[in-house]
Amino acid sequence: MTTGKIVVLGSLNMDLSIRVPRLPRPGETVAGTEMVRGTGGKGANQALAARRLGAQVALVGVVGADQFGAELRDDLAASGVDVSGVAVASEVATGVALIVVDPDGENMITISPGANATLTAPDLRAQLDGAHALLLQLEVPVDACRVAADAARSAGVPVVLNAAPLPDHPSDDLAELIRGSDVLVVNETEATGLAGGAASANDAARILRDLGVPEVVVTLGEHGAIAADRTGVTHVPAFSVDAVDAVGAGDAFCAEFALARTAGGADLATATRRACAAGGLAASRPGAAASLPHRDEVDRLFGAPTYDSAEVTIHAT
């Protein structure tokens, strides 16, 4: 079992989810199932995912002084996540995500950031002690991520940045945060957007790597992922699963990647392949937090005899 300590700085949302027979068009109302409430936000999801994968996890973020905030802190603490770094803001509400999911697993998500938007410059010294990685996302202010990344670098802790959701207008501050990260994880749309509209995910990965990020991972959903470093660009295939809900799959991917690459000492391609297993398992189940896999499940899928190492293709720089 891979163990280690992961510090996650990010958002905490209460997810309000409804399954629908099809996604609504603009202006249309579609009847769905009963609403399901659960822990969400990319920060909370990645923290919970890392915990289920065997890591010691400390989460840093902000919730409101309301019922949703109390439930989120209690649920995460009960799962073994250290929430001592989750502040409570009395003047704003806890973040909320409204999610609709169709039978094929496609989803539409609207977020009210609430307290997440108030995260400023948390003191991470206590959380970073003994940490193997700092895992960041962009559902909290970029400035807070930059402060956290600076603290991690000063402590010798690798920074893994999941640059999602990507802002409509990426700033110089975001560019600085990306260049200062050890690993950048983005999906294909985010990668091509950051790379100035590159023609392909491969090209985008190369461009982002050449901007100064040591390692770039571009997720491709059912087509796996692309991993780029100074040695070249590697395509890693996905595992075959019956996808029912993509919510949470990216968070499971990021948590397993960070754990395998840092605490586990896996090489870039192997860490990406393990992350594909975690993401695939999450996509095969409904919900966000409820879909996140455990360590033994990832180990079994990763070690399945159907995996052929020849499927991992490496392209020259």
Side-chain angles (χ1 to χ4, degrees):
M1 176 188 295
T2 299
T3 60
K5 180 178 179 181
I6 303 294
V7 179
V8 181
L9 179 136
S11 59
L12 296 90
N13 293 329
M14 181 59 73
D15 282 354
L16 306 176
S17 303
I18 300 176
R19 300 190 70 83
V20 293
R22 58 180 175 80
L23 297 180
R25 294 184 289 271
E28 182 183 27
T29 298
V30 175
T33 61
E34 182 179 358
M35 183 185 71
V36 177
R37 190 165 78 185
T39 300
K42 294 188 73 63
N45 285 345
Q46 292 183 14
L48 181 56
R51 180 67 190 131
R52 289 189 182 173
L53 293 167
Q56 177 186 350
V57 182
L59 175 61
V60 178
V62 186
V63 295
D66 50 31
Q67 181 180 348
F68 282 174
E71 286 184 21
L72 289 171
R73 285 172 54 93
D74 289 347
D75 288 349
L76 287 161
S79 297
V81 175
D82 177 1
V83 296
S84 61
V86 177
V88 178
S90 59
E91 69 279 7
V92 289
T94 298
V96 173
L98 307 177
I99 305 170
V100 292
V101 184
D102 73 10
D104 294 325
E106 294 297 325
N107 61 77
M108 297 173 62
I109 304 175
T110 300
I111 295 175
S112 173
N116 294 306
T118 69
L119 185 62
T120 52
D123 184 349
L124 300 184
R125 284 175 294 182
Q127 284 81 11
L128 288 172
D129 184 29
H132 291 86
L134 171 68
L135 185 53
L136 304 172
Q137 325 81 36
L138 298 181
E139 285 184 346
V140 295
V142 171
D143 283 348
C145 291
R146 288 179 56 201
V147 170
D150 288 345
R153 283 192 295 271
S154 296
V157 175
V159 177
V160 179
L161 171 63
N162 175 211
L166 191 65
D168 291 336
H169 304 289
S171 63
D172 291 341
D173 288 342
L174 176 57
E176 181 180 337
L177 174 63
I178 290 172
R179 286 193 298 269
S181 300
D182 296 280
V183 185
L184 173 67
V185 182
V186 284
N187 65 27
E188 187 171 9
T189 300
E190 293 155 354
T192 54
L194 286 172
S200 70
N202 274 16
D203 290 342
R206 290 188 180 95
I207 291 170
L208 293 171
R209 177 203 59 191
D210 292 344
L211 289 176
V213 186
E215 297 178 349
V216 177
V217 177
V218 181
T219 60
L220 306 174
E222 64 180 352
H223 300 296
I226 290 170
D229 62 10
R230 59 181 178 79
T231 67
V233 178
T234 304
H235 175 251
V236 179
F239 290 84
S240 179
V241 298
D242 294 325
V244 298
D245 186 346
V247 177
D251 296 326
F253 182 104
C254 291
E256 174 60 21
F257 178 89
L259 190 57
R261 186 73 180 101
T262 59
D267 60 49
L268 180 60
T270 301
T272 303
R273 180 66 176 177
R274 292 194 64 91
C276 285
L281 286 166
S284 69
R285 305 159 178 168
S291 73
L292 300 172
H294 291 79
R295 163 61 53 214
D296 60 338
E297 297 175 300
V298 175
D299 288 345
R300 283 198 301 270
L301 182 56
F302 177 76
T306 54
Y307 171 51
D308 180 358
S309 60
E311 290 180 314
V312 179
T313 55
I314 301 178
H315 306 277
T317 304

